[in-house]
Amino acid sequence: MDRFAEWISQHNITEVECLVPDMSGIPRGKILPATKFLTSFGDRGLRIPEAIFVQTISGDYPPDETVTNPANSDVFMRPDPDTIRLVPWYTEPTAQVITDCVYADGRVVDISPREVLRRVLRLYDAKGWQPVVAPELEFYLVKPNTDPDYPLEPPIGRSGRPETARQAFGIDAVNEFDPLFEDIYDYCEKQEIDIDTLTHEAGAAQMEINFNHGPALSLADQVFLFKRTVRQTAMRHNVYATFMAKPMHNEPGSSMHIHQSLLDTVTGQNLFALPTGENSPLFLSHIAGLQKYLPALLPLMAPNVNSYRRLQRFSDAPINVQWGHDNRTTGLRVPVSSPEARRVENRVAGADTNPYLAIAASLAAGYLGMIEELEPSDPVEGSAYDMAHTLPRHLFDAMQKLNRSRPLRQVLGERFVAALMAVKQHEYDAYQRVISSWEREFLLLNV
């Protein structure tokens, strides 16, 4: 409490937002005056229903879910003092803090996405390994859209015209929205979100911002806050920012590429490269683990029904888990690098994923590969699009694969996997009840 009190006093904070990342990566939680926040540490602190961790993307709760307490009891919120930051877009001095949760007996809530990532990181720590990650996050800017039946459109930039052609890596295309990006960089700096380069991607008004590499939990926290920052900033400039995996037809989808490497916790040496500069056996086993387990991990990396529209051939997204050196057609790319920077880029995850779960999944797959001493396939020399589509094509297929994988259930936690399956099954069933405009257009009078 003393750390919080000192920080709040230094920044003249009057209000605090306590953020709990739910299964979809949505910030849930409570907002309260700063004085009330500080006094809340007595009597066990703030409380929130355990059921928020099984809340679906539409705000519903799975009726047949059996993991959480059927009485819908409270869990106790434990703000993490390492995560307190300003909310820079408010005029009133406001803080935000990422919050963990525990049960009444002190046990951590093991179905919390943040705790799932911690669980995987403890496995690495027990081996003397420190994973390092660097996410790359893509998103679209679109016109405000208040009618979900109406297709999304690119926004109007400073020229007064929307993009009508793809402008990959276009400098002037980015500058169409320069005031917006100046605010994003300013807000990120004030929140200690360590973003790096900005580029225009292949889609109309599709952008990518890269993060500097660092510890996995810290980067997951930063991505979680970054997505909120981008959405809030865009609305201040009268546009929407969307992290949907496939928001517009005939445009490429948006991904969250994850660069991951591995350090020795004692020496700091990159364990993915030999002193000669060659790939280490541990690195190859890490890649092999990604190849073996990523298809079953798609409920964490492609978590929505829309996610699978992105994973199409010739669409700047992978269709399999082939790997290759500096090969962007593969699911797993090894960039050209020095031995100190040896890493693999997991290109499977969509931008719509929960960053805690996507990073946990990617590291879990690599961990199992190293523990099982797996060997990867040969690297692809040409286009991986010429090879078979081996990733699941639908959410339901991916869920079945995860349910059948005992090693993944053990690494991620049986209770978490059961909770995730309940949430995703309910979301999938809800989607199946929706009749699309395509069905009405082509089936109404033709069948």
Side-chain angles (χ1 to χ4, degrees):
M1 187 183 71
D2 292 339
R3 288 179 62 186
F4 284 122
E6 181 180 0
W7 194 95
I8 286 172
S9 175
Q10 287 177 349
H11 294 85
N12 300 312
I13 298 299
T14 60
E15 198 167 70
V16 179
E17 298 178 342
C18 297
L19 311 179
V20 181
D22 76 354
M23 199 72 81
S24 299
I26 297 172
R28 309 286 180 185
K30 294 189 174 183
I31 305 171
L32 65 166
T35 53
K36 295 290 186 181
F37 172 77
L38 292 174
T39 58
S40 71
F41 287 88
D43 190 29
R44 295 194 176 187
L46 298 171
R47 310 178 187 200
I48 199 167
E50 181 193 17
I52 68 161
F53 292 110
V54 291
Q55 194 169 4
T56 69
I57 193 70
S58 60
D60 296 327
Y61 299 91
D64 54 352
E65 180 268 319
T66 59
V67 177
T68 60
N69 190 321
N72 195 17
S73 302
D74 283 338
V75 291
F76 298 88
M77 302 170 69
R78 294 289 181 266
D80 183 345
D82 292 331
T83 68
I84 192 165
R85 292 166 163 89
L86 288 170
V87 185
W89 53 85
Y90 293 155
T91 55
E92 188 79 14
T94 303
Q96 58 187 337
V97 60
I98 300 174
T99 305
D100 298 310
C101 294
V102 298
Y103 293 108
D105 60 5
R107 289 179 299 116
V108 68
V109 176
D110 53 352
I111 60 175
S112 157
R114 202 164 186 254
E115 177 59 25
V116 172
L117 176 54
R118 279 203 182 102
R119 178 188 178 101
V120 174
L121 293 177
R122 286 194 291 269
L123 296 175
Y124 275 81
D125 188 61
K127 292 291 184 180
W129 298 334
Q130 180 186 350
V132 175
V133 302
E136 301 173 348
L137 198 57
E138 298 171 345
F139 57 94
Y140 275 89
L141 300 177
V142 299
K143 286 182 180 179
N145 180 289
T146 57
D147 184 349
D149 287 328
Y150 193 78
L152 299 177
E153 296 179 319
I156 304 296
R158 291 196 300 182
S159 67
R161 302 176 63 187
E163 285 189 28
T164 56
R166 295 181 179 179
Q167 299 288 340
F169 299 99
I171 298 298
D172 290 337
V174 172
N175 289 336
E176 284 281 296
F177 306 98
D178 191 54
L180 186 157
F181 290 116
E182 286 182 356
D183 280 350
I184 288 177
Y185 272 91
D186 183 47
Y187 291 160
C188 284
E189 183 178 357
K190 291 178 179 178
Q191 295 174 89
E192 300 179 3
I193 298 175
D194 193 13
I195 58 175
D196 190 13
T197 56
L198 163 67
T199 57
H200 195 296
E201 275 295 329
Q206 185 188 30
M207 310 295 171
E208 177 183 276
I209 290 184
N210 299 340
F211 290 74
N212 288 312
H213 63 273
L217 182 61
S218 174
L219 266 297
D221 286 340
Q222 291 179 54
V223 174
F224 169 67
L225 296 173
F226 174 79
K227 293 175 79 169
R228 182 186 188 214
T229 299
V230 172
R231 281 190 289 259
Q232 292 291 331
T233 308
M235 284 191 285
R236 291 171 64 89
H237 289 265
N238 199 34
V239 298
Y240 285 177
T242 179
F243 293 90
M244 281 180 64
K246 184 74 170 180
M248 291 188 280
H249 72 283
N250 296 329
E251 296 288 349
S254 293
S255 65
M256 187 179 79
H257 300 155
I258 305 171
H259 291 251
Q260 52 200 70
S261 58
L262 190 66
L263 304 183
D264 184 299
T265 55
V266 176
T267 66
Q269 178 186 356
N270 189 328
L271 298 175
F272 280 173
L274 299 174
T276 60
E278 296 176 313
N279 294 328
S280 70
L282 200 63
F283 183 44
L284 295 177
S285 290
H286 192 90
I287 291 173
L290 290 165
Q291 288 189 306
K292 179 178 179 180
Y293 289 106
L294 278 186
L297 285 164
L298 254 64
L300 288 77
M301 310 194 82
N304 303 299
V305 289
N306 175 262
S307 307
Y308 297 82
R309 302 184 189 278
R310 167 181 161 262
L311 301 172
Q312 302 295 326
R313 200 180 301 269
F314 308 120
S315 64
D316 293 326
I319 60 171
N320 51 45
V321 287
Q322 298 294 329
W323 76 286
H325 296 283
D326 201 18
N327 189 332
R328 285 185 170 84
T329 69
T330 62
L332 304 167
R333 169 179 171 258
V334 178
V336 176
S337 70
S338 66
E340 295 77 18
R342 189 62 41 81
R343 63 195 184 276
V344 60
E345 177 191 18
N346 178 355
R347 298 174 60 82
V348 173
D352 58 336
T353 188
N354 180 326
Y356 299 100
L357 298 184
I359 294 173
S362 197
L363 294 178
Y367 171 83
L368 287 171
M370 294 185 293
I371 294 300
E372 297 173 11
E373 299 182 348
L374 301 178
E375 294 185 5
S377 62
D378 293 333
V380 172
E381 297 293 340
S383 173
Y385 289 133
D386 295 334
M387 307 178 78
H389 190 309
T390 58
L391 289 174
R393 293 177 180 267
H394 304 282
L395 177 60
F396 187 74
D397 297 340
M399 291 166 55
Q400 290 182 313
K401 286 182 179 293
L402 179 55
N403 264 330
R404 290 195 294 261
S405 178
R406 180 174 294 180
L408 289 177
R409 296 202 312 269
Q410 292 175 340
V411 168
L412 299 173
E414 294 280 359
R415 292 185 76 247
F416 164 73
V417 172
L420 177 70
M421 290 297 99
V423 169
K424 294 304 162 187
Q425 185 66 59
H426 192 69
E427 291 175 352
Y428 184 77
D429 290 344
Y431 173 78
Q432 289 294 91
R433 292 193 290 270
V434 176
I435 309 302
S436 69
S437 60
W438 186 94
E439 292 166 278
R440 289 190 293 271
E441 180 176 355
F442 296 105
L443 303 181
L444 180 65
L445 300 177
N446 291 331
V447 296

